Amino acid sequence: MNSFKRTMTAVGTAVALAAVGVMTAPTANAAATPAARQAALTSDPETKSVPVEVGDASIQQRANNRFVVHIEGGQNTRPYRVEVRRAGTDKIVAVVDSLTYYDDYDEEMGYGTRHWYVGDKQPLVLDDMTDYELDVYARDHKGNELTRRNAGRSTYAIDARVEAASSRQEFSLDALTTQVTGTVTAIHPRTGERLPLTGARVRARLGDGWADGVSDAQGKFTTTVAALGTEKALTHTVALASGDTEVSVTAPSTIRAQKSLLTLTSTAPLTARYGTGVPVLGKLSRQADDGTVKPAAGQSVTASGVGKGQATAGPDGSYTLLPPVFRTGSLNVAVGTSSWLIGDGTRTATVAKVTHTTKVVEEKLVSTDKYGKLTISGKVTVDGITGQQAPIEIQYQTSPGKWVTRQSFTVPYDKTFTVTVGTPSSYPSDGWRVYTPGTSNIGPSTGTKVLRQTRAETQISGMRFTPLQAVKGKQLSVSGVLRTSTPEGLAPYAGQKVRYYFRPAGSTVWKEMGTSVSGAYGAVSMKFTAQTTGYWRIRFVDADATHLATTGREGRIEVIG
């Protein structure tokens, strides 16, 4: 096995958040925030056709409080130098140019998913606790030089502690913003003293909203953060925005829901084209904290019933739902699930007509031949004008309610068609139908007529080929029983001529060898003189207009001597 594995133990960042007197105990959150990409690559024009990428860089903290540079593997590049700058300046405070390559490729398993580089041999010992930015220098697969400035930003400090307070604990759609103030301190990696952490980016989160502040020389920071007003619940946290790890505490923040006012202006009966969205208009308002009525901008409205859809209220509270409709009935409009609004019941719009529905008419079985081929005609009508073609499927029924498509084609709507279709080898007797599956905006046919085969099925069973080894010049016999389908089931089919065929081994050509007539119990039999090894079969091909032809199974007789 040739597999490198990274083993790093993260040291936590302790955070305390005061939200108008509400405090909770610290809880671990091990998700590290990757540094954001801030610069594009420059490379030789020859390499443009090959994907080239320099990976993200960070300063990572080891268990022994040593800090090392870490670079995620890029694409078709190999970094060879990292310059560390104090955030927001051009002053280089450290250079790492000895990078160890690691990957998780496993030779025994034959695969690996990621690789990275670490400055193990050059731990960082910096003068100040603050945020630093990293510039990465690399070469692509052709040796061209690449530079990525601001490949990452990380905090250089141990056991950072944040104390913060929020100016607001309860939030509404009229009060989404709060000011967060606090201080951040940390233990200096060289001196071991706890000192104010200067120049560190501190991130405040409120629900799905977030904002960063930067600590000053005294470790103090101030930032304003706003919720989006669409969250199901609010969680208020503060932590370092960058660094090897983040551990934060949360202070629950409550949402003060406001009463919603839902109106529906689409009150007249609606007409919709099958499968397309029917416009349903209205307005969503809310009772603000000061008692006035304001648009509920950004809040959702939903439709259910004969069509499902969702829309977001605009700046003036207006909304347009476009639920796809497939049938007539009620469209139920309501305020979407929201923790910020109290629902206002359901409004109902009625879909009175759906156009571009289809119907199969005039379908009939024109004829059927003795081999089971069916000639079927019909027409598909459509309620509405369209230039589309009607997709047609000729289907047979294998069991009650189960239909299998035998043939597909397209024809113009409202035009009579005629088609001939062959029956499957295992012919079903449960009927046939003409069906159109419709399209995305034209409905399928329903309630189509079942067409029944007019000829009765026949069958040659009980086949016997004796002897299996016949002496040349001696007699051999081929026999069976001819039956036909009746309302009571299969019954003997007497008085019918059958034909006997032989195919020599190695040949594909069948030759008729004789005929006989079925007896009172449907039995058929004939004797022949053995000449050569080959295959025998019996066929009933002289069917009248009310019966189907059939062929019995083949049997081999070997001729010796």
Side-chain angles (χ1 to χ4, degrees):
M1 179 182 296
N2 180 20
S3 177
F4 294 94
K5 305 291 184 182
R6 179 176 66 167
T7 55
M8 295 185 178
T9 303
V11 178
T13 300
V15 182
L17 174 64
V20 197
V22 178
M23 295 294 296
T24 61
T27 57
N29 174 10
T33 302
R37 177 147 304 164
Q38 301 179 29
L41 299 174
T42 58
S43 65
D44 189 282
E46 292 183 4
T47 67
K48 292 292 186 180
S49 60
V50 179
V52 175
E53 180 186 68
V54 177
D56 296 325
S58 62
I59 297 173
Q60 293 196 347
Q61 184 179 334
R62 297 294 181 86
N64 56 6
N65 292 338
R66 296 204 317 170
F67 292 83
V68 296
V69 165
H70 180 276
I71 305 172
E72 287 294 333
Q75 193 169 11
N76 293 317
T77 58
R78 190 177 187 91
Y80 65 88
R81 176 184 174 91
V82 178
E83 294 180 353
V84 181
R85 294 178 290 101
R86 184 161 180 160
T89 73
D90 291 328
K91 183 180 179 181
I92 298 172
V93 298
V95 174
V96 176
D97 55 12
S98 178
L99 298 170
T100 304
Y101 175 79
Y102 292 85
D103 67 21
D104 59 2
Y105 183 79
D106 192 315
E107 286 187 343
E108 291 183 1
M109 300 300 293
Y111 65 82
T113 58
R114 57 183 295 268
H115 60 279
W116 60 93
Y117 302 82
V118 179
D120 304 272
K121 299 177 182 178
Q122 294 175 305
L124 296 173
V125 181
L126 306 177
D127 291 334
D128 296 317
M129 296 189 309
T130 187
D131 273 17
Y132 291 89
E133 294 171 336
L134 295 89
D135 303 332
V136 178
Y137 296 82
R139 295 185 181 91
D140 67 11
H141 65 294
K142 289 188 175 181
N144 297 308
E145 297 287 334
L146 305 171
T147 302
R148 182 180 172 193
R149 184 175 172 84
N150 295 346
R153 173 171 174 153
S154 298
T155 301
Y156 180 76
I158 298 172
D159 191 22
R161 295 179 182 175
V162 176
E163 295 181 358
S166 174
S167 64
R168 188 188 304 277
Q169 182 182 2
E170 188 178 59
F171 299 85
S172 72
L173 292 175
D174 292 311
L176 294 170
T177 302
T178 185
Q179 186 179 64
V180 178
T181 59
T183 59
V184 56
T185 62
I187 295 175
H188 198 289
R190 286 193 300 105
T191 67
E193 297 178 89
R194 177 164 293 281
L195 301 170
L197 183 53
T198 303
R201 189 169 53 180
V202 182
R203 179 160 296 170
R205 294 185 180 274
L206 179 59
D208 296 329
W210 59 271
D212 289 347
V214 178
S215 60
D216 62 15
Q218 288 75 46
K220 296 181 179 181
F221 63 88
T222 300
T223 189
T224 299
V225 62
L228 301 186
T230 55
E231 296 89 348
K232 293 183 178 180
L234 285 186
T235 300
H236 203 354
T237 64
V238 180
L240 289 182
S242 59
D244 195 31
T245 60
E246 296 177 9
V247 178
S248 61
V249 293
T250 63
S253 303
T254 60
I255 296 173
R256 183 172 64 252
Q258 298 175 340
K259 182 180 179 180
S260 63
L261 305 169
L262 178 66
T263 61
L264 182 65
T265 56
S266 299
T267 56
L270 302 173
T271 297
R273 175 169 178 162
Y274 177 91
T276 60
V278 55
V280 180
L281 287 69
K283 183 168 285 190
L284 180 62
S285 304
R286 60 185 176 86
Q287 188 173 359
D289 292 345
D290 60 6
T292 61
V293 175
K294 294 182 179 180
Q299 298 298 307
S300 68
V301 180
T302 62
S304 59
V306 296
K308 294 183 179 181
Q310 180 172 315
T312 300
D316 63 349
S318 62
Y319 64 85
T320 300
L321 287 160
L322 290 169
V325 172
F326 301 93
R327 57 189 173 89
T328 59
S330 296
L331 277 172
N332 305 313
V333 180
V335 179
T337 303
S338 173
S339 299
W340 299 84
L341 291 177
I342 299 171
D344 190 27
T346 302
R347 309 291 184 266
T348 301
T350 300
V351 179
K353 180 176 176 58
V354 176
T355 67
H356 293 80
T357 56
T358 63
K359 186 177 181 181
V360 178
V361 298
E362 301 174 13
E363 66 268 49
K364 64 180 180 179
L365 182 60
V366 177
S367 65
T368 177
D369 70 8
K370 63 182 180 180
Y371 297 108
K373 284 188 177 181
L374 307 173
T375 300
I376 296 171
S377 67
K379 180 192 296 184
V380 178
T381 62
V382 62
D383 174 21
I385 299 173
T386 178
Q388 295 173 241
Q389 295 274 303
I392 304 294
E393 295 181 5
I394 305 299
Q395 300 180 331
Y396 62 92
Q397 188 171 222
T398 58
S399 60
K402 184 175 182 180
W403 294 89
V404 177
T405 298
R406 181 63 175 169
Q407 188 168 325
S408 301
F409 55 96
T410 59
V411 297
Y413 284 103
D414 301 313
K415 182 177 180 179
T416 299
F417 64 85
T418 300
V419 62
T420 298
V421 58
T423 59
S425 57
S426 55
Y427 176 73
S429 58
D430 288 344
W432 293 74
R433 72 174 184 179
V434 178
Y435 173 74
T436 178
T439 65
S440 62
N441 58 8
I442 297 180
S445 59
T446 57
T448 55
K449 184 191 302 182
V450 178
L451 305 175
R452 303 293 181 182
Q453 169 66 268
T454 58
R455 290 175 177 257
E457 184 180 358
T458 59
Q459 178 187 103
I460 299 175
S461 59
M463 297 295 302
R464 297 186 65 191
F465 309 91
T466 57
L468 296 180
Q469 280 191 342
V471 177
K472 186 174 181 178
K474 300 295 184 179
Q475 283 192 331
L476 57 84
S477 175
V478 179
S479 62
V481 178
L482 178 63
R483 291 184 171 92
T484 185
S485 178
T486 69
E488 291 75 28
L490 286 174
Y493 195 17
Q496 302 301 311
K497 183 170 71 174
V498 297
R499 300 173 184 268
Y500 298 81
Y501 292 84
F502 173 71
R503 175 173 62 85
S507 173
T508 60
V509 178
W510 290 91
K511 180 182 179 181
E512 184 178 338
M513 304 297 291
T515 64
S516 71
V517 177
S518 59
Y521 297 101
V524 293
S525 178
M526 194 168 187
K527 297 181 182 297
F528 301 93
T529 301
Q531 296 295 332
T532 185
T533 299
Y535 298 86
W536 293 84
R537 71 182 181 185
I538 303 174
R539 299 188 66 194
F540 171 57
V541 296
D542 299 286
D544 60 19
T546 62
H547 288 81
L548 289 168
T550 190
T551 299
R553 71 175 179 86
E554 300 174 15
R556 178 184 170 100
I557 296 179
E558 186 175 350
V559 176
I560 59 176

